[in-house]
Amino acid sequence: TSRPLPNWLPSLQSLQGTVGYHYEQMKRAPTFVEGGAKFRKGGMELDIVPSYEVKSKRTTVMLQLSRGAIYGMLKFGNTALESIRGCY
């Protein structure tokens, strides 16, 4: 397969989106919306995954930078940094 949008964002590898729906919790609206983008350049990969929970109005963004088995991850909530992880 070819990379999406190769002329505008040559490092973009993939895009994804998910809409979750639990009828018992939210009868007329989705429960959550999540997206994702993966970029690759020079042996490094960057994953960006935003998500939104409709009922609680909670927004999170996860950023993960990796090279092979080495990675660092930051997760931000509505107002602050929630977690930091890494492995080398």
Side-chain angles (χ1 to χ4, degrees), residues 42-63:
M44 302 283 286
E45 287 188 2
L46 173 63
D47 290 318
I48 303 170
V49 181
S51 64
Y52 179 71
E53 294 176 22
V54 176
K55 188 174 184 178
S56 65
K57 298 181 179 177
R58 178 174 157 71
T59 302
T60 60
V61 177
M62 188 272 301
L63 303 172

Side-chain angles (χ1 to χ4, degrees), residues 13-34:
Q13 298 297 302
S14 65
L15 292 171
Q16 69 178 25
T18 305
V19 176
Y21 185 81
H22 296 286
Y23 183 77
E24 300 81 29
Q25 295 176 5
M26 304 284 289
K27 296 187 182 345
R28 295 192 174 121
T31 306
F32 69 91
V33 178
E34 185 175 273

Side-chain angles (χ1 to χ4, degrees), residues 64-85:
Q64 181 171 314
L65 185 63
S66 62
R67 183 175 189 139
I70 300 169
Y71 76 91
M73 191 224 21
L74 299 171
K75 185 174 181 181
F76 297 92
N78 282 359
T79 59
L81 178 64
E82 291 185 351
S83 65
I84 300 173
R85 292 184 187 172

